[in-house]
Amino acid sequence: MNREDDRQPQPQNQNRPPADTLRDGNLKASIWRNEGADGAFYATTFSRSYKDRDGAYREGQSFVGADLLRLSELARSAYARTKDLRREDKAQERADEGRGNNNERSRPVSRGR
């Protein structure tokens, strides 16, 4: 039995943008569309941007206590957005079937929210 939370997100260095990006200040949720044996699925990665000692911007995956409530709300928004993306996928599949087009489609969409 495949469980969605057992699947790993596509590495970000595949020259493929995330399906969507949500932000709350310096926190970011990147939603990645992936293809698996059972079809498309979405995975989300979280990061926090900060300035290093030299003033260069970096991204990390650790969060301080003050970030956690904002991170939980960002996760809630990412969950809702992922549901919307799956719904959009289903609608597109139905439209493709109606046109007799059963080709797989790539869907790199970046909304930069």
Side-chain angles (χ1 to χ4, degrees), residues 2 4 9 15-16 20 23 25-26 31-32 43 49 51 53-54 57 60-61 67 76 78 80-81 83 92-93 112-113:
N2 284 339
E4 189 171 73
N15 294 327
R16 201 169 48 100
D20 206 349
R23 296 181 183 273
N26 65 333
I31 302 171
W32 303 92
S49 48
K51 278 188 180 181
R53 291 182 192 148
D54 299 326
Y57 281 98
Q61 285 75 43
D67 293 334
R76 182 186 307 270
R81 181 64 184 130
K83 284 177 54 175
Q92 184 64 47
E93 287 172 12
R113 290 186 189 178

Coordinates of all heavy atoms in Angstrom, one line a residue, residues 2 4 9 15-16 20 23 25-26 31-32 43 49 51 53-54 57 60-61 67 76 78 80-81 83 92-93 112-113:
N2 N 0.7 2.1 -1.0 CA 1.5 3.4 -1.0 C 0.8 4.4 -0.2 O -0.4 4.6 -0.3 CB 1.6 3.9 -2.5 CG 2.5 3.1 -3.3 OD1 3.4 2.4 -2.7 ND2 2.4 3.1 -4.6
E4 N 1.0 8.5 0.8 CA 1.6 9.7 0.2 C 2.7 10.3 1.1 O 3.7 10.8 0.6 CB 0.5 10.8 0.1 CG 1.0 12.0 -0.6 CD -0.2 12.9 -1.0 OE1 -0.7 13.6 0.0 OE2 -0.5 13.0 -2.1
P9 N 9.9 14.1 -1.8 CA 9.8 15.2 -2.8 C 10.9 15.1 -3.9 O 12.0 14.6 -3.6 CB 9.9 16.5 -2.0 CG 10.5 16.1 -0.7 CD 10.2 14.6 -0.5
N15 N 16.0 21.6 -12.1 CA 15.6 22.7 -13.0 C 14.1 22.7 -13.3 O 13.7 23.0 -14.4 CB 16.4 22.5 -14.4 CG 17.9 22.7 -14.2 OD1 18.3 23.5 -13.3 ND2 18.7 22.0 -14.9
R16 N 13.4 22.4 -12.3 CA 11.9 22.4 -12.4 C 11.4 23.2 -11.2 O 11.7 23.0 -10.1 CB 11.4 20.9 -12.2 CG 10.1 20.7 -12.7 CD 9.8 19.2 -12.8 NE 10.2 18.6 -11.5 CZ 9.3 18.2 -10.6 NH1 8.0 18.4 -10.8 NH2 9.7 17.6 -9.5
D20 N 3.9 25.6 -6.6 CA 3.5 26.8 -6.0 C 4.5 27.1 -4.8 O 5.1 26.1 -4.3 CB 2.1 26.7 -5.5 CG 1.4 28.1 -5.4 OD1 2.1 29.1 -5.5 OD2 0.2 28.1 -5.2
R23 N 4.5 32.0 1.2 CA 5.4 32.7 2.1 C 4.7 33.3 3.3 O 3.6 33.8 3.1 CB 6.2 33.8 1.3 CG 7.1 33.2 0.3 CD 7.8 34.4 -0.4 NE 8.6 33.9 -1.5 CZ 9.9 33.4 -1.4 NH1 10.5 33.4 -0.2 NH2 10.5 33.0 -2.4
G25 N 6.6 36.1 5.7 CA 7.8 36.7 6.1 C 9.0 35.9 5.5 O 9.1 35.7 4.3
N26 N 9.9 35.5 6.5 CA 11.1 34.8 6.0 C 10.9 33.3 5.9 O 11.8 32.5 5.7 CB 12.3 35.1 7.0 CG 12.0 34.6 8.4 OD1 10.9 34.4 8.8 ND2 13.1 34.3 9.1
I31 N 5.8 23.8 -2.8 CA 5.0 22.7 -3.1 C 5.4 22.1 -4.4 O 5.4 22.8 -5.4 CB 3.5 23.0 -3.1 CG1 3.0 23.7 -1.8 CG2 2.6 21.8 -3.5 CD1 1.6 24.3 -1.8
W32 N 5.8 20.8 -4.4 CA 6.4 20.1 -5.5 C 5.5 19.1 -6.1 O 4.9 18.3 -5.4 CB 7.7 19.5 -5.1 CG 8.7 20.4 -4.6 CD1 8.8 20.7 -3.2 CD2 9.6 21.2 -5.3 NE1 9.8 21.7 -3.1 CE2 10.3 22.0 -4.3 CE3 9.9 21.4 -6.6 CZ2 11.3 22.9 -4.7 CZ3 10.9 22.3 -7.0 CH2 11.6 23.0 -6.0
A43 N 4.3 17.1 -2.7 CA 5.1 17.1 -1.5 C 5.5 18.6 -1.2 O 5.7 19.4 -2.1 CB 6.4 16.2 -1.6
S49 N 14.6 31.8 5.5 CA 15.7 32.5 5.0 C 16.3 33.4 6.1 O 15.6 33.8 7.0 CB 15.3 33.4 3.8 OG 14.2 34.1 4.0
K51 N 20.1 35.9 7.0 CA 21.4 36.5 6.6 C 22.5 35.9 7.4 O 22.5 35.8 8.6 CB 21.5 38.0 6.8 CG 20.8 38.8 5.7 CD 21.0 40.3 5.9 CE 20.4 41.1 4.8 NZ 20.6 42.5 5.0
R53 N 26.8 35.7 8.5 CA 27.7 36.8 9.0 C 28.2 37.8 8.0 O 28.5 38.9 8.3 CB 28.9 36.1 9.7 CG 28.5 35.3 10.9 CD 29.7 34.7 11.6 NE 29.3 33.8 12.6 CZ 29.9 32.7 12.9 NH1 31.0 32.4 12.3 NH2 29.4 31.9 13.9
D54 N 28.3 37.3 6.8 CA 28.8 38.2 5.7 C 27.7 39.0 5.0 O 27.9 39.7 4.1 CB 29.5 37.3 4.6 CG 30.7 36.6 5.2 OD1 31.3 37.1 6.1 OD2 30.9 35.4 4.7
Y57 N 22.3 36.2 1.9 CA 21.0 35.4 2.2 C 21.2 34.0 2.0 O 21.8 33.5 1.1 CB 19.9 35.9 1.4 CG 19.3 37.2 1.9 CD1 19.6 38.4 1.3 CD2 18.4 37.2 3.0 CE1 19.1 39.6 1.8 CE2 17.8 38.4 3.4 CZ 18.2 39.6 2.8 OH 17.7 40.7 3.3
G60 N 17.6 27.9 5.5 CA 17.8 26.7 6.4 C 16.5 26.0 6.6 O 15.5 26.5 6.2
Q61 N 16.6 24.8 7.1 CA 15.4 24.0 7.4 C 15.2 23.8 8.9 O 14.5 22.9 9.3 CB 15.5 22.7 6.7 CG 15.3 22.7 5.2 CD 16.5 23.3 4.5 OE1 17.6 23.0 4.7 NE2 16.2 24.2 3.5
D67 N 9.2 30.9 15.3 CA 8.8 30.6 14.0 C 7.7 29.5 14.0 O 6.9 29.4 13.0 CB 9.9 30.0 13.1 CG 11.0 31.0 12.8 OD1 10.7 32.2 12.8 OD2 12.1 30.5 12.6
R76 N -0.7 24.7 7.3 CA -2.1 24.6 7.0 C -2.5 25.2 5.7 O -3.2 24.6 4.9 CB -2.9 25.4 8.1 CG -4.4 25.3 8.0 CD -5.1 26.2 9.1 NE -4.6 26.0 10.4 CZ -5.2 25.1 11.2 NH1 -6.2 24.4 10.8 NH2 -4.7 25.0 12.5
A78 N -0.4 25.4 3.1 CA 0.2 24.5 2.1 C -0.7 23.3 1.9 O -0.9 22.8 0.8 CB 1.6 24.1 2.5
A80 N -4.0 23.2 2.3 CA -5.2 23.6 1.5 C -4.8 23.8 0.1 O -5.6 23.4 -0.8 CB -5.8 24.9 2.1
R81 N -3.6 24.4 -0.2 CA -3.2 24.7 -1.6 C -3.0 23.3 -2.3 O -3.3 23.2 -3.5 CB -2.0 25.5 -1.6 CG -1.5 25.8 -3.0 CD -2.5 26.7 -3.8 NE -2.0 26.9 -5.1 CZ -2.8 26.6 -6.2 NH1 -4.0 26.2 -6.1 NH2 -2.2 26.8 -7.4
K83 N -4.5 20.5 -1.7 CA -5.8 20.0 -2.1 C -6.4 20.7 -3.4 O -6.9 20.0 -4.2 CB -6.8 20.2 -0.9 CG -6.6 19.2 0.2 CD -7.5 19.5 1.4 CE -9.0 19.5 1.0 NZ -9.9 19.7 2.2
Q92 N -8.4 18.8 -14.9 CA -7.6 18.8 -16.2 C -7.7 17.4 -16.8 O -7.8 17.3 -18.0 CB -6.2 19.2 -15.9 CG -5.4 19.3 -17.2 CD -5.9 20.3 -18.2 OE1 -6.1 21.4 -17.8 NE2 -6.0 19.9 -19.4
E93 N -7.6 16.4 -16.0 CA -7.7 15.0 -16.5 C -9.0 14.7 -17.1 O -9.1 14.1 -18.2 CB -7.5 14.0 -15.3 CG -6.1 13.9 -14.9 CD -5.9 13.0 -13.6 OE1 -6.9 12.3 -13.2 OE2 -4.9 13.1 -13.0
G112 N 4.5 32.0 -7.0 CA 5.3 32.9 -6.2 C 4.5 33.6 -5.1 O 4.7 34.8 -5.0
R113 N 3.7 33.0 -4.4 CA 2.9 33.6 -3.3 C 3.8 33.9 -2.2 O 4.6 33.3 -1.7 CB 1.7 32.8 -2.9 CG 0.7 32.7 -4.0 CD -0.5 32.0 -3.4 NE -1.4 31.8 -4.5 CZ -2.5 31.2 -4.4 NH1 -2.9 30.7 -3.3 NH2 -3.3 31.0 -5.4

